[in-house]
Amino acid sequence: MKEKNNPTTEHIRAKRKAFHHERWNNRAKALAWYGLLAEVFFLPLSPGLATAALLLGAVGTAWRFYIDKDFHFRHLHFDVPAVLFVLISALSILASPDRGFSFYNYYNLVGVYVLTYLLVGQNVRRPEQMKSILKMAAASAVIVIIYGYYQFLFGIDISSMKWVDGDAFPELRKRVFSTWENPNILAGYLDIVICLAFGLFMYCKDRERRILLGVFMLAAAACLAMTYARGACLVIAVILAAYGALKDRRVLIACIVVVAVLFAADPVLYERITSVFTKVDTSTEMRLAFWESTIAMIQDHPFLGIGWGAYWMVYPEYDFYLQGANVLIVHAHNIYLNYMAEIGIPGAVAFFWFFFGTMVMALRTNFEIKKTDAAEAGRKVFAARKAFNWQRLWQDWDEGALLEGFTKGIGLAVLSIALNGITDDLLFNIPSSMVLWMMAALAGVLSLMSPPKAAKEADASAASGRLAGLTSSLWHHAKEVGGKVNEKTHEKMQSVLTREVEVPAEEQDKSTAAEKDGKTAADAKDAAATAPAEESSAEDQTAAADKKEEQKPMDPMDELAEEVRKALLRRKAEEEAAAKEKAAVSSEMSAKANGENKAAEEKAGKENKEIKETKEAEGKEVKTAEQTGEAEKAEVSSEPEKKETQAEAKQPDGEAQAEQKEEKAAKPVKTVQAEKEADGHEEDKHDIKGDD
């Protein structure tokens, strides 16, 4: 079987896991990003496809938050009023006459608004991404404008001409709406597009881009004129004229020229625009009546309003103009009054805090634009005389100029929505509101990318770093000072605590001798006798030192150190006395042990002497026995015959003598064995005593 904890296997698994993690992370990032671009492209063309792309992008973003540990939630500047608006709008459902409808309308509309805001705000984090967003928005805007031209040139269904007041304007036969459901909504969208293009135009220095942006703005203005939306036409004219009067007079002149050309080309447009200042059509009268009814709603429901999306249900109760006519009024034709009526004054305040805060932030956001010197400017003038180069449209576009123009365009676009909202509720349309929340998120992202704000953040971080450095240096200095103080205090306490007491040399010699030897009881008794004298002398000297120190004024630290020193000296004296007593007891024990050892040695010596004496006596007996045996052998050899006869005659006596000889020979052997056994017993006794 393979080892589970093989380092190579674990390394391969880790690599494979990291590879899969990175691949899924890239997939989540791609899903979120391409979902965002698809929403930007399809939002003006097909709200259904735009919503589907939004959901895919939201799934990719949530997936990315789960997989990518480095992808963190980012807060934009106006998240707080946006959250307040969402919460108060939810509370307004409680005041609705049909809570089920209001809740359904709320989570469908507010849900897509919040998802759009989060999708853009969390995924757009680099300046390069702004170019892709601008490309998608420009492509969809071109399609919308071209389709508007198609409607104007080749005609539209007569049923779609319900926005034309035939009695007031008999010559007005059609109004284009392109991919949007209403000419006024298309006109509001074109105002947004013109403002974005104008911002880029003003901060672009290249001839090719300026020409392209100028042509695009003229085409959008012509399509705007085909809508015959009086409010939208006046709004864009006021914005551009005011910018020209305040910033660049050339813009004002160009605006006057374009308006004059359009009025000259289409007299009906001139009549339509000038009718704003005269009350000649039902449209103006109806708006005034709607506003009067809406103000009455606000007075009756100032806090939570009449309920989210419930205007069409409550309006018949406040109908002062139509008087029961079979007409469904869905909004107040004024965004300010409509929001206050439906979600109350607090909710409207939260929304317009978010709305106008985004506009002001976008107009105040600045980026660094490269400045060209005279030589480079001359080269650009010479290059401008060359042929038109389309490849330079999206190449080498100064990042600072692009972002500066984009953020200023967003600010002007939000301003156009604010001005259009006076006479029409453009935000009642779902795609229009999604465009607003998308621009708000882009404005927040551009504000975070702004170098001045980044520099301020860097300065703030640097200031905090300097403050932290100063704090750390002060802390380090205080730590050093505290360390020095502690060292001095410690030295002072040590000097007080380790104040040595002088002891006579003779007594020191006696005490050291008693501690080292510790063998005899007499030395231990002498050491025990000298201990009280040492203690008394040490106590006398410490008392004298205490009296001397008491004469001097002492601070609390010295008093504390003195008390500690006294306690330690008392403890030291007690420990020394206990040690001396222990030494005396040990010396007595050793003396007893020495006495017992000497007695045992004397006894063993006596036993050894007795054993030697017995051995010598036995040796003498053995020698005498050997001599008698040799004498008997000599006698036997001299008188063989006599011996034989005597042996024959005295056989019993010979046997007795033989037995005696055997006994004598056996006796020395037994004596030697007994001596050996005695020696063995003595050795055993010595071993036992040694063990004891």
Side-chain angles (χ1 to χ4, degrees):
M1 294 179 67
K2 296 182 180 179
E3 297 182 358
K4 293 183 179 180
N5 296 325
N6 189 358
T8 305
T9 305
E10 293 294 331
H11 179 70
I12 293 173
R13 288 177 180 174
K15 285 281 189 181
R16 187 179 298 170
K17 186 177 180 181
F19 174 75
H20 286 296
H21 183 271
E22 185 66 21
R23 184 172 62 181
W24 285 109
N25 185 20
N26 292 332
R27 288 176 179 175
K29 188 186 298 185
L31 181 61
W33 174 241
Y34 289 115
L36 189 155
L37 292 180
E39 183 189 5
V40 173
F41 179 77
F42 287 111
L43 192 55
L45 305 177
S46 175
L49 293 177
T51 303
L54 171 63
L55 294 177
L56 290 176
V59 170
T61 304
W63 189 5
R64 190 178 177 188
F65 274 119
Y66 177 75
I67 293 177
D68 192 355
K69 303 301 180 183
D70 297 329
F71 187 69
H72 303 289
F73 186 84
R74 181 174 60 178
H75 295 280
L76 302 181
H77 292 290
F78 289 96
D79 288 346
V80 173
V83 172
L84 289 175
F85 164 72
V86 172
L87 295 177
I88 297 174
S89 299
L91 291 176
S92 70
I93 298 173
L94 301 175
S96 174
D98 188 349
R99 295 178 182 177
F101 172 81
S102 294
F103 177 73
Y104 173 80
N105 189 271
Y106 170 81
Y107 80 78
N108 276 282
L109 300 185
V110 177
V112 295
Y113 301 160
V114 173
L115 286 179
T116 300
Y117 184 76
L118 292 176
L119 179 63
V120 176
Q122 300 303 319
N123 288 282
V124 181
R125 304 200 176 199
R126 300 190 311 274
E128 295 80 9
Q129 293 176 316
M130 294 295 178
K131 291 184 179 180
S132 300
I133 292 173
L134 284 173
K135 289 178 182 179
M136 293 295 105
S140 60
V142 168
I143 295 174
V144 170
I145 293 171
I146 291 174
Y147 187 57
Y149 284 153
Y150 173 82
Q151 288 180 345
F152 187 79
L153 295 175
F154 298 99
I156 54 177
D157 188 4
I158 193 67
S159 62
S160 301
M161 298 173 63
K162 56 186 177 182
W163 305 287
V164 177
D165 187 356
D167 296 333
F169 305 100
E171 297 180 357
L172 183 59
R173 295 297 179 184
K174 52 187 174 182
R175 297 176 63 187
V176 300
F177 56 91
S178 187
T179 58
W180 299 81
E181 63 185 23
N182 188 295
N184 293 334
I185 297 174
L186 173 61
Y189 169 75
L190 292 175
D191 280 354
I192 294 172
V193 169
I194 292 172
C195 288
L196 292 175
F198 178 74
L200 295 173
F201 177 85
M202 292 306 299
Y203 290 93
C204 178
K205 304 301 179 183
D206 295 331
R207 185 185 65 163
E208 290 83 3
R209 299 190 185 98
R210 275 180 168 268
I211 293 174
L212 181 64
L213 291 171
V215 171
F216 178 79
M217 285 191 292
L218 290 175
C223 187
L224 175 62
M226 297 173 191
T227 63
Y228 294 96
R230 295 170 291 182
C233 293
L234 289 174
V235 163
I236 195 63
V238 169
I239 291 175
L240 296 180
Y243 185 90
L246 297 174
K247 294 289 186 179
D248 192 345
R249 295 295 177 86
R250 293 176 297 178
V251 175
L252 179 60
I253 296 171
C255 183
I256 294 173
V257 171
V258 171
V259 171
V261 170
L262 290 175
F263 284 170
D266 191 357
V268 178
L269 177 63
Y270 173 77
E271 184 182 0
R272 176 76 174 171
I273 298 301
T274 56
S275 66
V276 173
F277 306 100
T278 59
K279 191 176 179 181
V280 295
D281 63 338
T282 58
S283 177
T284 304
E285 293 178 357
M286 289 180 64
R287 278 174 169 78
L288 293 175
F290 296 158
W291 297 347
E292 184 181 358
S293 300
T294 306
I295 292 172
M297 295 178 193
I298 296 170
Q299 291 175 347
D300 293 341
H301 306 85
F303 298 107
L304 293 180
I306 59 176
W308 178 273
Y311 189 90
W312 64 276
M313 290 185 284
V314 179
Y315 178 78
E317 299 177 5
Y318 297 89
D319 184 9
F320 307 130
Y321 179 76
L322 298 177
Q323 298 295 326
N326 190 17
V327 178
L328 185 65
I329 306 300
V330 294
H331 59 82
H333 289 269
N334 183 291
I335 60 173
Y336 308 101
L337 295 177
N338 201 84
Y339 274 101
M340 284 190 286
E342 287 192 349
I343 62 176
I345 295 175
V349 169
F351 176 76
F352 291 114
W353 176 15
F354 169 77
F355 183 84
F356 288 105
T358 298
M359 181 186 72
V360 174
M361 178 182 63
L363 293 175
R364 288 184 176 180
T365 301
N366 296 312
F367 290 86
E368 294 180 358
I369 302 175
K370 294 181 180 179
K371 295 182 179 180
T372 58
D373 54 6
E376 188 175 357
R379 287 195 299 270
K380 285 192 174 183
V381 170
F382 178 75
R385 297 176 182 175
K386 295 182 180 179
F388 191 89
N389 189 358
W390 291 96
Q391 296 179 355
R392 289 200 295 266
L393 290 176
W394 295 102
Q395 296 177 359
D396 300 330
W397 195 327
D398 182 22
E399 184 178 286
L402 175 67
L403 299 180
E404 179 76 13
F406 193 22
T407 186
K408 293 300 185 292
I410 290 175
L412 295 177
V414 177
L415 177 60
S416 71
I417 296 174
L419 295 177
N420 275 309
I422 297 174
T423 58
D424 207 349
D425 187 5
L426 298 179
L427 300 181
F428 180 80
N429 180 260
I430 298 175
S432 298
S433 293
M434 293 173 70
V435 169
L436 172 66
W437 285 82
M438 183 180 293
M439 290 193 300
L442 289 173
V445 172
L446 288 168
S447 178
L448 295 178
M449 293 181 183
S450 175
K453 293 190 177 180
K456 288 181 181 178
E457 293 178 359
D459 293 339
S461 62
S464 62
R466 288 194 296 271
L467 181 61
L470 180 61
T471 305
S472 63
S473 63
L474 290 174
W475 175 255
H476 182 68
H477 182 66
K479 202 172 181 182
E480 289 181 353
V481 172
K484 291 180 181 179
V485 172
N486 291 332
E487 287 178 1
K488 290 182 179 179
T489 306
H490 183 69
E491 290 176 359
K492 192 172 184 180
M493 292 181 67
Q494 287 294 329
S495 64
V496 174
L497 295 174
T498 60
R499 187 179 294 165
E500 296 182 356
V501 180
E502 295 182 358
V503 182
E506 296 178 356
E507 293 181 357
Q508 288 183 358
D509 295 337
K510 288 181 182 180
S511 61
T512 53
E515 291 178 357
K516 289 182 179 179
D517 296 336
K519 295 180 180 180
T520 60
D523 294 337
K525 291 179 181 179
D526 294 338
T530 57
E534 291 177 356
E535 292 177 2
S536 61
S537 62
E539 290 177 356
D540 295 338
Q541 290 184 3
T542 54
D546 295 340
K547 289 180 180 179
K548 289 181 181 179
E549 291 181 356
E550 286 176 357
Q551 293 176 0
K552 298 178 181 180
M554 299 175 65
D555 57 357
M557 291 297 295
D558 292 337
E559 292 178 0
L560 178 61
E562 185 65 23
E563 291 178 0
V564 174
R565 184 183 67 81
K566 290 179 181 179
L568 291 176
L569 287 175
R570 286 195 296 270
R571 185 175 179 181
K572 185 177 181 182
E574 292 175 358
E575 290 178 354
E576 289 178 354
K580 289 176 182 178
E581 290 178 0
K582 188 176 180 181
V585 173
S586 63
S587 63
E588 290 177 1
M589 294 292 292
S590 63
K592 289 180 182 179
N594 290 331
E596 291 177 357
N597 290 332
K598 287 180 179 180
E601 288 178 358
E602 290 176 357
K603 187 176 180 180
K606 290 179 181 180
E607 291 178 354
N608 290 331
K609 287 180 181 180
E610 291 176 357
I611 292 169
K612 287 181 181 179
E613 290 176 356
T614 54
K615 286 182 179 181
E616 290 177 357
E618 289 176 355
K620 290 178 180 180
E621 291 177 359
V622 171
K623 288 181 180 180
T624 54
E626 289 178 354
Q627 290 177 0
T628 55
E630 290 177 356
E632 289 176 356
K633 287 180 181 180
E635 290 178 357
V636 172
S637 62
S638 63
E639 296 179 353
E641 293 179 355
K642 186 176 179 179
K643 189 176 181 180
E644 291 177 358
T645 58
Q646 290 177 355
E648 291 175 357
K650 300 179 179 179
Q651 188 174 2
D653 296 334
E655 292 177 356
Q657 291 177 357
E659 290 177 358
Q660 291 177 358
K661 289 179 181 179
E662 290 177 358
E663 290 177 358
K664 290 179 179 179
K667 186 177 180 180
V669 174
K670 290 179 181 179
T671 306
V672 172
Q673 291 178 353
E675 290 176 356
K676 289 182 179 180
E677 290 178 358
D679 292 336
H681 287 302
E682 291 294 330
E683 290 177 358
D684 293 337
K685 288 180 181 179
H686 285 298
D687 293 338
I688 292 168
K689 290 178 181 178
D691 295 337
D692 294 337

